Each structure stands twice: as C-alpha cells, then as structure tokens.
Amino acid sequence: SATDLPALLAEQRRSGARVVDLIPGHNPVHGAEATAAVVLHVDRHYETIWVEGSPLPALELSVASWPEPPNPGSEPMPAHVGFLPIGDGGPITRRRLSLWAAVDGDRIVDVHATSGRLTAGLSRLAPAHPYLQLPVLAEGLNEQTPTTTAMLTVLGIEALAGIDVPDSIQHARVFVAELERVQAHCGWLVSQATACADDALVNEARHGRERLAWLFVAVCGRRRPTGIHLPGQILIDRGPAEAALSEVTPHLSRLIDTARQSLSGRRGWRRRLEGVGVISTDAVDTHALSGPVARGTGLDLDVRRRAPYLTYDQLDFDVSVGAGGDVVDRCIVRLDEMAQSLRLARQALAAWHGPVQVEDVRVTPPPMPAATTQMIHHFELWMEGHGLQPASGATAFVAVEAPEGELGILLSSDGSSKPKRAHWRSPSSAHFRLLPALLQGQRF
C-alpha cells in the first residue's frame, strides 16, 4: 500500500537495490486511476512494486516526486518576466524539454525546466494501438536513436508474450544497436566540437555519421534503420554487412583518435571545462541517473553488464568510467564507448549465423498462404481486435543501455491485442531534472 512504501523502499535500498523509475497512476486513456508503480533494479534483474492507495507518499528521492503526466499540448510559461528560452527551437526539442533561464548579464541566475511531455504523450497513445504498431510509435521518442527505442519495445513485447528468440536474431540486434550508439555519439560530437569552434572535428564527425548511414543502406535499405525491429524478427541482410563494417571501421577509429586529441588532449579545452557541471555519486542514486552521465562519476552502471540482455553476456567489452563527474569525464566516457561499440559490432557480426525470423504463428505470417486456415491467420494477425494477444494480467519491464542511458519500458496486458498500459522510461527525462542545479551560476 502507499503507507507501507517508504519503509519498503528504505529496506530495499539498504540491501543494494536501486530505484530506476516511478510511474504515476493517472491513466487518462481509460479515464480511471490506475495503480502506480516503482521499478527497482535488484541484483541482475528488475522488480516492479505496484502501489495501491492515495495519496501517494512523498519520498526522499527526486526521481520519486510522483508527478502527474504533463499535457503534451500545453506550453508551460515561467512566472518570471525575465526568463528567456534556451536550446533548439525545433519541433523535437520543444516536445521533449521546455527550458527557460533568467540571466544577469552573461550569468544564469535561475532556470525553469519542464520535461517528460513527449514520454507522457506516447504513454497515452499506446493503449489505442496494437502491439505490432508499438515499435514504430516508440521511434518518435528520440530522433537520434529511433532504432534503439523500437528494439526496446520489441523486447518488452516478447517478454510479455513469452516469445523465445534465437541468438542469431539477438546478435543482429546487438550489431545494429551498437552502430546506432556510435552514430548517436557522432551527433553529440558535432555539438561538442561546434561549442569548441573546431570546424575540422565537426566535419569529421558529420562524415562519420554519413558513413554509418551508408552502412545502414547496405544492410537494411535505408539511411536510418527505422522499422526493422518487429517481435520475433529483424529486417536486415547479413550479406553486405561484413564488407560495409570493414570499410567504415578505419574511418570511425580515426575519428575517435582525432576527437581525443582535439578535445581531451587539448590543454585549453580541459582548462575551460574541468570542474564544470560536476555530478556526485550521491546524485546518481537520488536522481536515478544512468549512462555516460552516471559513469562519468566513477560508478560502473551499465545495463549490458548489470542486467544483461540480447547476447551481451557472450561478448567481450570494457565499460569506461570517469572520476570527477564533470564535463571532461563525460566526454572521455563517450569517446571510449564509441571504440567499444565498434568492438561489440564486430563480435556480434562474427557470431551472427542463422535465421532472423522465428517460426511463431503469433507474430510471423506465412510467406505465401497455401491454405485457407493460413490465409485466415494472415489476416487476423493484422486485423483490429486480433493478432498478438498476451495473457490477461501479464506485466513486463525491460531495460536496455541506450546511448543516453538506461531506457526502459513497462507493459501490461488485459488479454486483448492492445496493451492495457505502456510506459517508457526515458533516461533524458531524469537527466533534465539536474539542469537547474547545473546551470545556475554558469556563464554563456
């Protein structure tokens, strides 16, 4: 119950459990109050605590503030007249983060940040879509890593429905996920190099993204590998993958070396950013931080190691960690991750042998219906009200190590072809909560 939750969480945290996410109970799609939930990482797996009762307790965790899902259509405005908008004014950022700052000259004195609107909007839309449409819907969560969010959603559907997937498909997913991690970090590198006025590095990072785009064209026929993840299968061709990866690897390795020399190897860059944006190890636990932001503080928090998924437990890789938790540490961690992702992609490609589609009639239609019953099944798989129908009452929480951190999904089934409840845990939403503390006092 809600009254017992604080004592239960305190006991779990003393035993080493980590709070991953807090999911409010308000469910506007069904017009009723649904049960709230707390997701914990315990040992090498995740546990979900369902909370009944109202009002929900106030917890000593900033991640557990029990916010109501914001309205994606509203634009919260600060009460202070002197606030100015900061950041990209494009449609994607506007839906994900509303950031305003009050400035005194060139110094930031106050910050107003509202996040999580896009995630809340997807959670409202999901119960109106069949399971087979959820991966495409989830791709809108992050324009930098659409394939990773789709893969996470597919893993959640497979866990909910009990679909067993062979290692050949899992290796193929590792291959795509790690290359998209490199591509996302190249996008970060463009922004970092632009802030340092390093035009040569900006061009190198853009060329790296372009080379990865052509690799994806070779293996799946499109520049961004969207729409390739489906329950029980992945739409990708192994044939040209080896030659494409061999061609792009030297260029990306050279990009990583150049970035290290231009950024962490430059004395002026380190002098400017050392001690800026420091995050403590205590903040990692309090704010449920993850990814390079958490590893920059010196903590070895990587879902691929802490709660292995796909075939990461069969692959060899190192987890880079920092020491001081500042901007310099986070940059070094990301550059090291790019090299490790290339290493993982080569291993996954070498181990990838076998089919890329399971023989499960619940998710795989016959290639050419040869009988009336097969044709009926083929239509039912995609018809409204039919198709994939997990058992009523089944729930599943799955998390992956996305480029920005711990990305998770919670799915609940009512026995129909649409989820009763869906919630995406965006790592950036947790990181955005730190912006007021990190930005106050900084200069433009």
Side-chain angles (χ1 to χ4, degrees):
S1 66
T3 56
D4 300 331
L5 181 63
L8 177 60
L9 281 184
E11 180 181 356
Q12 291 281 353
R13 296 181 70 193
R14 283 194 297 268
S15 63
R18 179 172 58 90
V19 178
V20 174
D21 196 12
L22 187 148
I23 305 170
H26 185 59
N27 193 338
V29 174
H30 297 284
E33 289 294 326
T35 306
V38 178
V39 179
L40 300 175
H41 178 259
V42 183
D43 295 331
R44 293 169 65 87
H45 65 281
Y46 293 90
E47 292 183 359
T48 304
I49 300 177
W50 298 99
V51 186
E52 298 179 354
S54 183
L56 297 172
L59 305 175
E60 297 179 357
L61 296 166
S62 64
V63 68
S65 57
W66 299 101
E68 288 294 329
N71 184 357
S74 65
E75 179 65 24
M77 295 294 292
H80 301 78
V81 178
F83 273 88
L84 299 174
I86 291 180
D88 180 19
I92 298 297
T93 303
R94 181 179 177 275
R95 289 184 292 143
R96 182 179 297 117
L97 172 67
S98 175
L99 181 62
W100 300 73
V103 298
D104 180 12
D106 63 345
R107 183 182 296 274
I108 299 176
V109 296
D110 197 6
V111 175
H112 174 89
T114 303
S115 65
R117 296 177 297 165
L118 178 57
T119 308
L122 290 177
S123 297
R124 295 181 181 187
L125 287 173
H129 292 75
Y131 287 101
L132 297 180
Q133 294 180 2
L134 290 187
V136 178
L137 179 68
E139 288 176 351
L141 184 62
N142 192 327
E143 77 279 7
Q144 292 289 343
T145 58
T147 306
T148 302
T149 57
M151 182 189 71
L152 165 74
T153 307
V154 166
L155 293 178
I157 295 172
E158 291 172 352
L160 189 71
I163 300 173
D164 295 326
V165 179
D167 285 351
S168 57
I169 298 178
Q170 306 291 42
H171 282 306
R173 290 172 175 173
V174 171
F175 175 77
V176 175
E178 293 304 320
L179 290 181
E180 188 175 59
R181 188 188 312 275
V182 177
Q183 192 175 50
H185 284 348
C186 284
W188 156 81
L189 190 56
V190 169
S191 300
Q192 188 67 36
T194 301
C196 301
D198 192 338
D199 294 336
L201 184 56
V202 169
N203 292 331
E204 286 287 336
R206 286 174 174 169
H207 290 160
R209 284 176 60 87
E210 184 67 17
R211 292 182 184 277
L212 284 170
W214 281 106
L215 182 147
F216 288 134
V217 169
V219 298
C220 65
R222 59 202 78 179
R223 291 175 56 86
R224 300 302 298 273
T226 55
I228 66 172
H229 288 293
L230 295 171
Q233 59 183 306
I234 179 172
L235 307 179
I236 190 172
D237 183 11
R238 190 192 184 284
E242 188 169 353
L245 182 61
S246 299
E247 181 180 355
V248 75
T249 298
H251 300 281
L252 294 175
S253 299
R254 185 166 58 252
L255 167 63
I256 297 170
D257 294 337
T258 302
R260 285 171 175 158
Q261 296 173 7
S262 299
L263 298 181
S264 58
R266 182 183 298 177
R267 185 178 304 174
W269 181 85
R270 297 184 70 98
R271 185 169 55 248
R272 176 187 176 188
L273 295 177
E274 279 183 341
V276 175
V278 176
I279 298 175
S280 65
T281 54
D282 293 336
V284 173
D285 181 54
T286 304
H287 295 269
L289 307 181
S290 58
V293 173
R295 290 190 288 274
T297 66
L299 297 177
D300 183 4
L301 291 178
D302 194 308
V303 181
R304 297 171 296 180
R305 283 278 177 82
R306 294 297 185 95
Y309 59 99
L310 299 180
T311 55
Y312 283 107
D313 55 347
Q314 305 176 24
L315 305 176
D316 182 30
F317 65 100
D318 299 323
V319 176
S320 176
V321 297
D326 58 7
V327 174
V328 174
D329 285 292
R330 293 193 284 274
C331 288
I332 294 175
V333 166
R334 283 188 170 92
L335 292 176
D336 291 342
E337 283 188 359
M338 294 173 69
Q340 294 300 319
S341 292
L342 291 177
R343 179 182 175 188
L344 282 167
R346 289 192 295 267
Q347 294 181 58
L349 182 60
W352 171 14
H353 299 286
V356 292
Q357 178 174 298
V358 298
E359 297 297 331
D360 191 326
V361 296
R362 294 179 296 171
V363 294
T364 306
M368 180 62 69
T372 303
T373 55
Q374 291 180 338
M375 185 168 292
I376 292 174
H377 165 66
H378 182 91
F379 279 104
E380 285 187 343
L381 187 59
W382 311 104
M383 285 170 57
E384 187 78 14
H386 296 275
L388 183 62
Q389 297 176 332
S392 178
T395 61
F397 181 87
V398 178
V400 301
E401 184 65 32
E404 65 274 17
E406 191 172 20
L407 179 66
I409 184 172
L410 175 69
L411 289 174
S412 299
S413 171
D414 58 1
S416 68
S417 62
K418 300 178 181 179
K420 177 182 179 181
R421 192 176 189 185
H423 171 82
W424 282 269
R425 192 266 181 196
S426 172
S428 297
S429 181
H431 298 163
F432 287 154
R433 296 189 184 98
L434 284 179
L435 284 177
L438 296 179
L439 292 179
Q440 288 179 8
Q442 298 294 332
R443 293 183 181 273
F444 282 102

